Amino acid sequence: MKLLRVGTAGAERPALLDEHGTLRDLSGIVPDIDSGLLADRAALARVREAAKAGRLPEMAGGTEADGLRTGPPLTGIGKIVCIGLNYHDHARETGAAVPEEPIVFMKAPDTVVGPDDTVLIPRGSRKTDWEIELAVVIGRTARYLSSHEEAMAAVAGYTVANDVSERAFQIERGGQWDKGKNCETFNPLGPWLVTADEVPDPQALAMRLWVNGELRQDGTTADQIFPVAEVVRYLSHFMTLRPGDIVSTGTPAGVAMGQPEPKPYLREGDVVELEITGLGRQRQVMKSA
């Protein structure tokens, strides 16, 4: 299933995108797409059954092309755990050593915006960068997992994330990476939460990102140093992952930081577009904060 939330910010309604590209209203079946739904197998089964039987009404506005705003596909996010330097080609372009264990940092849930919402370049920014990422949405409590099979069983689905980063804040200002990762609007998410049954192999997804129409990132999740199953298993030994948590699994080569001088960091008016196979497409316009 492709689950999403549409409407004005803070007043989104749950929806399903059917195989014909029509938005179907879920508000008569579930109150929202959140941790409660992801953890409730019976509720998810009701949604699947209603969709298969054609009982879901068409949402006013019809299709995504009709202009309804798409919000983040999930609300009530508990935590966002991010993995740094998780692609071989990205490590090479930045001159970094391949990590022996996953590099872990956190991103605050209030950085999340819709996939097509405006992204604000922070005041004082010189090096705002883009990062397309596969985001894993957790559907079962995961603690001290012992196998990759257990890890994959904890995954509810997948979505697209843009891990927007301010490199000067992140690297040159001292302390941890968090200062360059948690600026307002720095986590466009969506458009869809695609349930895990529709993604048989998360290590076989093409990822592309364009800036002002120029292809900048063209990678694949097959290049991940630590695959999805290992990332989820590993994290469960350091923290409890709960339904509604998100794990953002790193970015392939092609970020501005890895380009020759002058590095093409983002400026007001730039347009970033990104997509992952089967998970949908985002588009953001940059604006000064």
Side-chain angles (χ1 to χ4, degrees):
M1 296 186 292
K2 293 180 174 67
L3 305 175
L4 66 160
R5 301 169 64 251
V6 298
T8 58
E12 295 94 345
R13 293 177 292 157
L16 179 146
L17 186 70
D18 71 15
E19 60 185 1
H20 304 294
T22 300
L23 287 175
R24 299 290 176 179
D25 194 347
L26 293 181
S27 58
I29 299 178
V30 297
D32 213 333
I33 300 169
D34 55 15
S35 60
L37 174 62
L38 298 180
D40 189 339
R41 297 184 191 179
L44 286 170
R46 287 195 298 272
V47 172
R48 286 193 179 93
E49 181 183 356
K52 185 176 181 180
R55 297 200 304 269
L56 296 174
E58 184 173 330
M59 183 166 278
T63 68
E64 290 184 294
D66 292 322
L68 279 176
R69 172 187 175 270
T70 301
L74 180 69
T75 190
I77 298 167
K79 56 182 172 288
I80 302 170
V81 189
C82 304
I83 307 300
L85 289 173
N86 196 29
Y87 283 74
H88 291 281
D89 59 1
H90 180 48
R92 287 194 298 269
E93 76 171 346
T94 59
V98 172
E100 295 183 4
E101 295 189 38
I103 296 171
V104 179
F105 63 94
M106 308 290 283
K107 206 156 188 173
D110 65 6
T111 60
V112 171
V113 293
D116 302 324
D117 288 348
T118 299
V119 168
L120 299 176
I121 296 176
R123 296 178 186 180
S125 169
R126 297 181 291 111
K127 298 182 178 180
T128 295
D129 206 346
W130 58 82
E131 292 191 30
I132 184 172
E133 305 212 2
L134 172 67
V136 177
V137 182
I138 301 299
R140 300 183 192 175
T141 299
R143 57 191 301 272
Y144 298 110
L145 301 178
S146 61
S147 70
H148 288 176
E149 290 73 20
E150 286 183 316
M152 296 306 291
V155 174
Y158 304 90
T159 189
V160 183
N162 185 358
D163 176 24
V164 186
S165 307
E166 213 299 338
R167 303 302 189 186
F169 294 0
Q170 176 188 352
I171 298 169
E172 301 171 19
R173 298 291 295 272
Q176 298 181 340
W177 286 6
D178 291 4
K179 287 185 290 190
K181 296 287 189 173
N182 283 280
C183 302
E184 185 181 8
T185 73
F186 264 27
N187 200 351
L189 197 68
W192 316 317
L193 191 170
V194 180
T195 51
D197 59 294
E198 292 199 9
V199 185
D201 185 0
Q203 306 311 139
L205 303 176
M207 314 168 71
R208 297 181 181 88
L209 181 145
W210 297 260
V211 180
N212 299 327
E214 181 176 352
L215 183 63
R216 290 292 189 177
Q217 291 185 276
D218 187 4
T220 169
T221 55
D223 193 49
Q224 286 185 343
I225 297 166
F226 303 102
V228 168
E230 173 58 14
V231 166
V232 174
R233 186 209 65 80
Y234 177 88
L235 289 174
S236 77
H237 288 258
F238 297 91
M239 64 189 75
T240 301
L241 299 174
R242 304 185 188 280
D245 287 350
I246 291 174
V247 179
S248 205
T249 59
T251 197
V255 298
M257 182 174 63
Q259 304 301 307
E261 297 289 353
K263 299 181 188 298
Y265 289 113
L266 295 168
R267 299 289 183 264
E268 183 170 29
D270 285 346
V271 178
V272 177
E273 298 171 277
L274 53 152
E275 65 182 16
I276 298 179
T277 302
L279 304 185
R281 188 177 179 96
Q282 299 186 359
R283 182 182 187 276
Q284 298 108 33
V285 178
M286 304 296 116
K287 181 181 177 181
S288 295

